[in-house]
Amino acid sequence: MKPYQVNDQLVNAAKQQALERFPEGWSGAAAMYTETGRILTSVYVNALNEAACLCHETGAICEAHRLNERICASVCVSKEETVEPFVILTPCGICQERLAYWGLDVEVGVPDKADPTLYHSLKLREVQPYYWRQIYSENEE
């Protein structure tokens, strides 16, 4: 196994954070490995104005910046009801941009096509094969 890719430990950390913060009904959270092996977790920030809401990943991304640690892997989980299983959510485009700060080799969790409760760990460059930054950073990475 590659170090600090999306794995069961990271997925379980996200699920645990989700259940601690949102024990009933809808639930979700993100978990990320930093280069030191630290796991950072965070949850969605809701606001009355939808434009002011923040994705699950945002808090952990900000924490990594505060700690000056590189993010190596990220996963986001969500479920609609208390009795439903968690599904894996691919990072949205904005969070992919935020994670790309650390390079296109950051691993992210993506749902299995046949069963979204299962996951695969892919590099950002695999999730977005035509990502704009690749044109400018081919020689940097």
Side-chain angles (χ1 to χ4, degrees), residues 97-115:
E97 287 286 337
R98 292 171 178 151
L99 291 166
Y101 172 82
W102 290 283
L104 300 178
D105 288 329
V106 172
E107 299 264 344
V108 296
V110 298
D112 182 86
K113 289 182 181 181
D115 182 353

Side-chain angles (χ1 to χ4, degrees), residues 51-62:
C53 296
L54 297 173
C55 300
H56 293 301
E57 296 96 335
T58 308
I61 290 169
C62 291

